[in-house]
Amino acid sequence: MSTLRRILLAAALAGLPASWAQAETSATVHAAGEKVYKSACFVCHASGVANAPRLGDKQAWSPLIAQGADALVATVMKGKGAMPPRGGSSADEAALRAAVEFMMAAAQ
């Protein structure tokens, strides 16, 4: 079960509004994603090295966002082009997903 689903379930059981739990989860995911981005992803995605889509570039990210987070995480896990597997980091899949979601959100 995803972290978001667990928090939403816990919020519902506690009688808290789902929107509050989702906002908390989004902030947590984005903070974790930003940390991974700043420790590994920024090397290429800040400047566009090797055709990496730049953070916040809506035009470059649009077709990637259309693929969905699962497809992007799978690509990050195995690598693509100049990007090595796991983006050259030792981050686990959950942390890499948070980074992908952080970068997707920055382009929306």
Side-chain angles (χ1 to χ4, degrees):
M1 181 181 285
S2 74
T3 303
L4 175 59
R5 288 185 183 140
R6 280 188 228 136
I7 290 175
L8 289 174
L9 177 60
L13 293 173
L16 299 173
S19 60
W20 177 84
Q22 190 164 1
E24 273 297 305
T25 301
S26 293
T28 302
V29 167
H30 288 317
E34 184 176 13
K35 182 177 179 180
V36 173
Y37 171 81
K38 287 181 176 179
S39 69
C41 310
F42 83 96
V43 173
C44 296
H45 288 281
S47 62
V49 169
N51 295 319
R54 294 180 69 184
L55 182 69
D57 183 339
K58 291 180 183 191
Q59 184 176 1
W61 278 94
S62 179
L64 301 172
I65 291 170
Q67 294 176 22
D70 291 341
L72 292 178
V73 171
T75 299
V76 171
M77 293 299 291
K78 63 184 171 190
K80 181 178 180 180
M83 182 177 69
R86 297 182 181 271
S89 76
S90 60
D92 64 15
E93 187 172 347
L96 293 172
R97 176 174 292 279
V100 165
E101 290 175 359
F102 170 75
M103 289 189 280
M104 289 173 67
Q108 292 179 340

